[in-house]
Amino acid sequence: MHETGLSEAIVAAAVRRAAGRHVTGLRVRIGGHAIDPDVVTQGIQVAAAGTVVADAAVDLVLEPMTVRCHRCGRDEPVRDHLAMVACPRCGGVDIEVSGSDDVVLESITLASPAMGAV
């Protein structure tokens, strides 16, 4: 499952950045990927169990790619992978897909020493 690998990679990056300190929040920007945000959030929570990221709040910022059909002029965000192959409105394949497909761990929030951070 795509979301599982994505979630595990996000947690691994957060653990490296935290360097042993307790993480209370993550902000992740996901571009282009047609993903279910609830599945990714749950995947992050599962992957984080037993790590310094366990129980961290997850803030996902989704930036879907856009597809423009040269046949009918449709210009909308991509909602699924099929829209990147053919226009959902007219079935045309003369389409242009734009946007980023990057996944970026934008920030982590660390627990303050008063909260019992290590």
Side-chain angles (χ1 to χ4, degrees):
M1 174 186 253
H2 177 67
E3 285 89 348
T4 300
L6 183 65
S7 299
E8 290 170 351
I10 291 167
V11 170
V15 167
R16 281 191 306 276
R17 272 198 199 175
R21 298 168 292 179
H22 182 73
V23 176
T24 60
L26 303 173
R27 181 178 175 93
V28 182
R29 184 170 303 275
I30 301 176
H33 301 271
I35 56 113
D36 182 333
D38 293 333
V39 172
V40 173
T41 299
Q42 184 178 28
I44 290 171
Q45 293 167 342
V46 169
T51 73
V52 295
V53 184
D55 301 320
V58 178
D59 178 19
L60 293 181
V61 179
L62 304 179
E63 292 183 330
M65 295 179 113
T66 58
V67 64
R68 183 172 193 287
C69 178
H70 295 285
R71 183 174 173 192
C72 73
R74 178 182 177 266
D75 191 6
E76 294 182 12
V78 172
R79 297 199 193 330
D80 61 40
H81 295 295
L82 294 176
M84 295 171 58
V85 177
C87 177
R89 180 188 296 160
C90 73
V93 293
D94 185 14
I95 60 172
E96 177 183 341
V97 179
S98 61
S100 170
D101 65 350
D102 292 340
V103 177
V104 178
L105 175 58
E106 287 190 336
S107 66
I108 63 173
T109 304
L110 302 172
S112 68
M115 293 176 67
V118 184

